[in-house]
Amino acid sequence: MHLLLEEQLTGKFRKLPQPYYVTEYGVAYLGDALELSKLLPDKSVSLVMTSPPFALNRKKAYGNVESSKYVDWFTAFAREFWRVLKDDGSLVIHIGGAWEKGQPTRSLYHFELLLSLCRNNDSNLKFHLAQDFYWFNLAKLPSPAEWVTVRRIRVKDAVDPIWWLSKSPFPKADNRQVLNQYSEAMQKLLKRGYNAGPRPSGHNISSKFQEDLGGAIPPNFLGYANTESNSRYLRACRECGIQPHPARYPVKLPEFFIKFLTDESDLVLDPFSGSNATGEAAEKAKRRWICFETNENYLKGSRFRFENSTT
Ligand SMILES: C[S@@+](CC[C@H](N)C(=O)[O-])C[C@H]1O[C@@H](n2cnc3c(N)ncnc32)[C@H](O)[C@@H]1O
């Protein structure tokens, strides 16, 4: 029997309601993330990987929260994420920046959220900033139009922050799981060798760098184009007349953090799952997953990501 489903029937996850659909590794639920998270057992999740509704001045279809109220709104969820995370677990939040209403300056709400989650006096909600990441969305359109394309006084906003937070200063992580292919120059260097020793920059390059370690350690700057146009998910949505989710992240994004921060069969939670790109990445990586989503249409569409799902 499906592992999560078995746990749900026999004990650990029994408080959760009837799933919306089930796959080999995961279970999707329709409902409010705050209420559903409360039903998860303590210290059962290795990674909360999510893209919550951002604070926006221009409302999106799924009702975003105003930036002035954002920290309070998110904190209620964060308390539950802290409780359900294992001690070596991580909370990864993809959080787009926002512009102040009516003027060409940036909101600070996502920095305020970061400070509030990491600098407070509550020992049950005191995350560490393990590392800040930046997603460079290569295909982002010039926006906001008024400042970028009409008045031409700002450049396009194409980088989203991703806060990697952890309960302990030493969360589970292994960068050997996410190595990039060596560049051609590096491959040549590995073949040819190079002179070890001090450089004018002050760095001392040791001969250790000549060892082929299977790939290059990735930077905290992730460049993935969000240009999916003919995926199984989009094709099936089109065929069934379902509107695809308007703010999806590419599957490669959760895939990176899932491989980096979890092992096979660990549990990954996406409480604001939208089209469930997180579930698709977890399924491929053979991690168990749970996702929550309030909008039934998004959840219905997300099912197309999986070949064999059942209700
Ligand atoms: C930015 S989208 C997530 C997109 C997703 N990462 C993807 O790639 O498709 C945020 C989602 O959170 C959902 N949402 C908003 N409030 C929620 C809540 N209280 N509980 C569960 N889902 C919620 C919205 O309906 C929306 O689909």
Side-chain angles (χ1 to χ4, degrees):
M1 191 198 274
H2 179 282
L3 197 58
L4 272 175
L5 205 55
E6 187 179 328
E7 282 172 323
Q8 193 187 26
L9 296 174
T10 58
K12 225 171 152 198
F13 294 94
R14 72 183 178 286
K15 290 188 187 156
L16 284 163
Q18 186 67 18
Y20 196 79
Y21 64 85
V22 175
T23 67
E24 190 179 354
Y25 287 93
V27 189
Y29 296 93
L30 175 64
D32 173 50
L34 189 55
E35 297 315 314
L36 289 169
S37 298
K38 287 181 182 162
L39 307 177
L40 291 172
D42 294 357
K43 301 189 183 189
S44 54
V45 173
S46 295
L47 170 65
V48 178
M49 170 78 232
T50 200
S51 174
F54 309 153
L56 291 180
N57 292 322
R58 181 176 40 85
K59 294 259 185 236
K60 286 226 165 162
Y62 44 80
N64 300 65
V65 182
E66 266 177 55
S67 46
S68 59
K69 300 187 181 132
Y70 198 84
V71 171
D72 286 346
W73 175 79
F74 193 87
T75 301
F77 293 92
R79 274 186 201 293
E80 292 305 316
F81 302 158
W82 175 278
R83 184 185 61 76
V84 304
L85 275 173
K86 293 185 171 180
D87 290 339
D88 64 355
S90 293
L91 164 62
V92 174
I93 312 170
H94 160 238
I95 187 156
W99 294 83
E100 295 292 358
K101 209 173 195 159
Q103 64 180 45
T105 58
R106 301 285 281 164
S107 161
L108 297 175
Y109 89 97
H110 52 305
F111 298 112
E112 283 164 356
L113 177 68
L114 179 62
L115 287 173
S116 157
L117 293 176
C118 299
R119 268 204 203 151
N120 59 67
N121 295 321
D122 184 347
S123 58
N124 285 325
L125 185 67
K126 203 172 173 59
F127 285 97
H128 299 268
L129 175 60
Q131 196 160 16
D132 47 332
F133 278 75
Y134 298 90
W135 169 33
F136 176 31
N137 182 352
L138 301 148
K140 212 150 179 184
L141 294 171
S143 157
E146 175 67 11
W147 316 127
V148 178
T149 55
V150 179
R151 298 209 210 177
R152 309 287 290 257
I153 53 172
R154 293 291 181 269
V155 295
K156 73 175 177 173
D157 181 27
V159 178
D160 284 350
I162 298 174
W163 306 142
W164 169 22
L165 307 178
S166 56
K167 279 178 92 171
S168 106
F170 294 97
K172 182 191 317 201
D174 183 357
N175 71 24
R176 286 166 297 200
Q177 304 307 320
V178 285
L179 295 178
N180 287 335
Q181 225 188 353
Y182 282 129
S183 64
E184 269 182 38
M186 186 64 192
Q187 287 176 27
K188 274 189 200 147
L189 264 184
L190 286 170
K191 253 193 220 146
R192 245 193 354 238
Y194 61 89
N195 297 331
R199 295 288 187 272
S201 63
H203 291 98
N204 195 0
I205 306 296
S206 90
S207 55
K208 221 169 43 193
F209 285 106
Q210 284 176 72
E211 231 177 283
D212 184 343
L213 297 173
I217 296 171
N220 63 344
F221 184 71
L222 306 170
Y224 302 131
N226 213 0
T227 48
E228 165 193 59
S229 63
N230 197 26
S231 64
R232 177 196 159 81
Y233 166 74
L234 285 181
R235 279 196 313 273
C237 281
R238 272 195 293 268
E239 276 161 25
C240 298
I242 292 180
Q243 185 72 23
H245 194 283
R248 305 180 305 277
Y249 52 34
V251 174
K252 277 182 183 308
L253 196 78
E255 187 178 287
F256 175 89
F257 290 101
I258 287 170
K259 287 186 174 163
F260 182 28
L261 304 177
T262 67
D263 292 319
E264 269 191 27
S265 87
D266 277 349
L267 180 59
V268 177
L269 167 70
D270 188 344
F272 304 103
S273 64
S275 71
N276 204 7
T278 305
E280 181 177 334
E283 186 90 8
K284 278 189 189 149
K286 298 191 164 74
R287 270 62 163 176
R288 300 178 307 144
W289 58 265
I290 287 182
C291 83
F292 303 143
E293 172 55 52
T294 39
N295 182 312
E296 186 165 5
N297 256 334
Y298 296 155
L299 204 54
K300 221 181 251 173
S302 76
R303 207 172 155 172
F304 299 136
R305 291 188 179 275
F306 307 94
E307 253 171 58
N308 299 312
S309 65
T310 50
T311 29

